[in-house]
Amino acid sequence: MNALDDLEDNPGPEGQLTLKVVAHPQATNLHGDIAASWVITQMEQAVELVAARLAKGRAATVAVTGMDFLCPVRTGSLVQIHTQLLETGTSSMRFQVEVWILPPNEKDPNSLYKVTEAHFVLVALDELGRIRSLPQH
């Protein structure tokens, strides 16, 4: 399967819109595109927001898997991070995190392009930074 097949198989974002941010010029790489590290930082911030709510306190990323970049992000793109809780354990939470963009100067607000996705695993932490159990819902 190539990147175009993936885009056609998944016509729109899955999960909850968690974070929206404009890609700014300070986040570019040597080639003038937004750096992958900046995109990953936005993904982690979004998933940590959701995980902290579920954990009712601190949460930390312990694993990130399955990340491929499908297209570059240009300066001025509206970057949208979507998160979806996949499963919980005693102290852990596994999420799918997707990044979609609306390129600059795009006239159709529904013309989103998928940039990447990954699975993030986070754990609940106590005030001393030790792993703790998730609260019962």
Side-chain angles (χ1 to χ4, degrees), residues 1-128:
M1 180 184 328
N2 65 37
L4 291 177
D5 290 337
D6 187 39
L7 289 173
E8 291 170 5
D9 289 345
N10 190 357
E14 293 184 24
Q16 160 189 340
L17 176 60
T18 307
L19 184 65
K20 267 185 172 181
V21 63
V22 175
H24 53 83
Q26 296 87 347
T28 57
N29 61 22
L30 296 173
H31 304 289
D33 295 317
I34 298 300
S37 60
W38 183 87
V39 174
I40 295 165
T41 297
Q42 304 314 305
M43 294 172 78
E44 187 169 30
Q45 286 180 354
V47 76
E48 284 181 354
L49 285 169
V50 176
R53 283 188 215 120
L54 290 170
K56 296 189 182 354
R58 281 177 75 182
T61 303
V62 294
V64 179
T65 59
M67 185 176 294
D68 293 313
F69 284 86
L70 305 173
C71 66
V73 177
R74 294 185 9 223
T75 299
S77 294
L78 180 61
V79 178
Q80 299 182 16
I81 314 293
H82 295 259
T83 57
Q84 183 175 14
L85 178 65
L86 299 176
E87 65 181 320
T88 59
T90 304
S91 61
S92 65
M93 300 157 278
R94 188 167 69 92
F95 295 89
Q96 177 171 313
V97 181
E98 295 182 358
V99 179
W100 291 75
I101 59 166
L102 181 64
N105 305 319
E106 178 59 55
K107 305 291 186 238
D108 180 3
N110 296 315
S111 292
L112 297 175
Y113 297 91
K114 188 174 186 179
V115 173
T116 191
E117 69 179 344
H119 286 171
F120 280 70
V121 178
L122 290 88
V123 294
L125 299 176
D126 67 15
E127 52 282 339
L128 298 176

